[in-house]
Amino acid sequence: MTAHSDVPRSRRERPAKPALTRAGIVAAAVAIMRADGLGKVTMRRLARELDTGPASLYVYVRNTAELHAAILDELLGAVEAAPGGGDWRERLEQVLTSYTAVLFRHRGLAKAALVARPRGEHYLRLIETLLALLDEGGVPPGQAAWGVDLLLQYATATAAEHAPGDGDAEVAREEWDAVAGALRGASAQTHPHVAGLAAELVSGRPETRISWGFRALIDGILHTPLPEGDTGDTRN
Amino acid sequence: MTAHSDVPRSRRERPAKPALTRAGIVAAAVAIMRADGLGKVTMRRLARELDTGPASLYVYVRNTAELHAAILDELLGAVEAAPGGGDWRERLEQVLTSYTAVLFRHRGLAKAALVARPRGEHYLRLIETLLALLDEGGVPPGQAAWGVDLLLQYATATAAEHAPGDGDAEVAREEWDAVAGALRGASAQTHPHVAGLAAELVSGRPETRISWGFRALIDGILHTPLPEGDTGDTRN
DNA sequence: ACCTGAACACCGTTCAAGT
DNA sequence: ACCTGAACACCGTTCAAGT
């Protein structure tokens, strides 16, 4: 076992351990996510998969949040950039629905996107597409710029909230029933409006509500002028 | 040290270890959050603080997510339910701003609220207040019911996104600069709309943008009728 | 420059056993 | 019923040392 030296192994005897690259790391991360959910995309698991130690990954990725954002931008390649027929509103809603669909497949990704915005090429292309459609609809440029933020945030937050959990569908159902129950159980004395609207508060299929939300948002963006004298980048 | 037995300690010699209750657990959790941020509100830390083992907490709290939601409902007691002057739109914006302010103090809480909606009495009162104001403004009931969801989600998502991190302000600044840089660096050839609107995409103080968002949302809610024939609770 | 093993300082949750 | 110690199965990130 010790003194006997094996015949030197050919370099390609088994799939040669590929050199680490950022692209390779992100690809492996996507694979883990598809197989076991984003919750399993940890530095340690990823390192194991790539046959190295976790410390090695920090050469290419700053931290776990950046890794998740990179995964999302990768998946955003599947968002249709040039939707089919209909007027600009309909095509706008199509693009947003397509974006939402990507996030719906992975709730964890939506949560990540709310905190660490992706900033890869796919995300940039998505913004370009949305701005072009708003422009086509005659939305004033300033409102379009701020509106894109509103639309993407709504889509992302909705996915973070309503997408089937990375884990337990049972638990999600229970959660929802509990919330609905709390609303329906509201006293007509102390909470007359809640009691009166209990049914409406929980009505509608998720897709129907999301679609209504997009239309309300687009309408508001179109009709709400920006405040005057605050166009400089004075953030913080 | 070993054989010598101390005088039996009076029960109230030091603040007697209080019996565990759900209220006491939530109160301790709030205290930890105020002192060290939500990130430190873990089952283990909480147990240490309450001088017990983590397993004991599971008698009163289902899991960490439920604990965080309970903390939020507690803090929601500070949201002003009866805002001062102005018309209904202004008062509506006041309530929403007050809600946002609570979340802004703890970004982690906003993230938690997106996933596990609180459902305590304070949250219920907030919904009642919002519905009453929308009703006063003549918003059709169905639109008001769905609109409340839209408004709260926007406020919550904005806080999750823009609130100063539980941790590093430095890192947040870097993040923002990176995003702004990516937008400003967009090529006028490949991304004409982004390039043309780079300044507007990142302009405005956060409060200004949030306020504009609230107004756009309210306008959209007011003018967008619900789709017909989808008022039943057909979720899933 | 890149890669690594090992370590530091933690997690959530469950279980069998006690009171 | 409530409470507990101990265990299971993990985490992210940093560091000094190697190549």
Side-chain angles (χ1 to χ4, degrees):
Chain A
M1 282 284 207
T2 42
H4 171 74
S5 156
D6 289 323
V7 174
R9 289 167 180 278
S10 147
R11 266 194 197 137
R12 65 206 204 329
E13 183 172 331
R14 49 169 77 213
K17 184 179 159 182
L20 285 178
T21 62
R22 191 179 152 102
I25 287 169
V26 174
V30 170
I32 293 171
M33 190 203 57
R34 289 199 207 278
D36 296 322
L38 190 71
K40 300 291 185 183
V41 182
T42 65
M43 293 303 226
R44 293 178 104 104
R45 168 73 187 275
L46 190 50
R48 229 178 296 133
E49 215 78 28
L50 291 166
D51 200 16
T52 181
S56 308
L57 303 175
Y58 285 81
V59 176
Y60 304 92
V61 171
R62 191 197 296 264
N63 53 39
T64 308
E66 195 196 291
L67 176 66
H68 288 180
I71 292 174
L72 177 55
D73 193 76
E74 190 70 23
L75 298 194
L76 251 32
V79 174
E80 42 180 340
D87 75 349
W88 68 277
R89 284 174 194 264
E90 282 166 48
R91 277 177 291 141
L92 189 50
E93 209 187 312
Q94 276 174 51
V95 175
L96 290 167
T97 302
S98 172
Y99 170 73
T100 309
V102 169
L103 291 177
F104 253 68
R105 280 195 276 280
H106 299 284
R107 170 186 217 159
L109 231 34
K111 286 195 257 177
L114 275 172
V115 178
R117 288 267 179 122
R119 45 190 154 93
E121 52 161 325
H122 294 304
Y123 192 70
L124 203 63
R125 192 189 55 167
L126 174 59
I127 294 178
E128 176 67 20
T129 303
L130 295 174
L131 286 175
L133 286 166
L134 289 167
D135 183 36
E136 187 184 330
V139 177
Q143 287 160 237
W146 288 20
V148 162
D149 215 54
L150 214 56
L151 290 167
L152 287 177
Q153 194 195 61
Y154 172 62
T156 310
T158 300
E161 196 167 2
H162 297 295
D166 270 315
D168 214 326
E170 190 82 12
V171 171
R173 178 88 219 173
E174 273 174 40
E175 268 289 319
W176 171 254
D177 288 347
V179 171
L183 292 171
R184 272 195 275 257
S187 146
Q189 260 68 51
T190 55
H191 303 89
H193 292 89
V194 173
L197 287 170
E200 285 83 355
L201 282 165
V202 298
S203 73
R205 284 178 302 127
E207 311 86 63
T208 313
R209 290 183 76 131
I210 292 169
S211 167
W212 176 81
F214 282 141
R215 280 179 288 116
L217 244 42
I218 292 169
D219 191 73
I221 291 165
L222 183 58
H223 293 117
T224 307
L226 257 48
E228 277 170 56
D230 186 32
T231 44
D233 175 5
T234 52
R235 187 152 299 222
N236 289 9
Chain B
M1 284 283 205
T2 44
H4 173 71
S5 153
D6 289 323
V7 175
R9 289 164 182 281
S10 145
R11 267 195 196 134
R12 65 205 204 330
E13 184 171 329
R14 46 171 78 213
K17 183 181 159 183
L20 285 178
T21 62
R22 191 180 152 103
I25 288 170
V26 173
V30 170
I32 293 172
M33 189 203 57
R34 289 200 206 279
D36 297 321
L38 190 71
K40 300 291 183 184
V41 182
T42 65
M43 293 304 224
R44 293 178 103 104
R45 167 73 187 276
L46 190 50
R48 230 179 295 133
E49 214 79 29
L50 291 167
D51 200 18
T52 182
S56 308
L57 303 175
Y58 285 81
V59 176
Y60 303 94
V61 171
R62 190 197 298 261
N63 54 39
T64 308
E66 194 197 291
L67 177 66
H68 288 179
I71 293 174
L72 177 56
D73 194 77
E74 191 69 24
L75 298 193
L76 250 31
V79 173
E80 42 180 340
D87 74 349
W88 69 276
R89 284 173 194 263
E90 282 166 49
R91 278 176 291 140
L92 188 52
E93 208 185 313
Q94 276 174 50
V95 175
L96 289 167
T97 303
S98 172
Y99 171 73
T100 309
V102 168
L103 291 177
F104 253 69
R105 280 195 276 280
H106 299 282
R107 172 186 215 161
L109 232 34
K111 284 194 258 177
L114 275 172
V115 177
R117 286 268 179 120
R119 45 189 155 98
E121 52 163 326
H122 294 303
Y123 192 70
L124 203 61
R125 193 189 53 168
L126 174 60
I127 294 177
E128 176 67 21
T129 303
L130 296 174
L131 286 176
L133 286 165
L134 290 168
D135 182 36
E136 188 184 330
V139 177
Q143 285 160 237
W146 287 21
V148 161
D149 215 53
L150 213 57
L151 290 167
L152 287 177
Q153 193 195 61
Y154 172 62
T156 309
T158 300
E161 196 167 4
H162 296 296
D166 270 316
D168 213 325
E170 190 82 13
V171 171
R173 178 87 220 170
E174 275 174 38
E175 268 290 317
W176 171 253
D177 289 346
V179 171
L183 291 171
R184 271 194 276 258
S187 147
Q189 260 67 51
T190 54
H191 302 88
H193 292 89
V194 173
L197 286 170
E200 285 83 354
L201 282 166
V202 298
S203 74
R205 284 177 303 126
E207 311 88 61
T208 313
R209 289 182 79 130
I210 292 168
S211 167
W212 177 81
F214 281 141
R215 278 179 290 115
L217 244 40
I218 293 168
D219 192 72
I221 291 166
L222 183 57
H223 293 117
T224 307
L226 257 49
E228 277 168 55
D230 187 29
T231 44
D233 176 3
T234 51
R235 187 152 298 222
N236 288 10

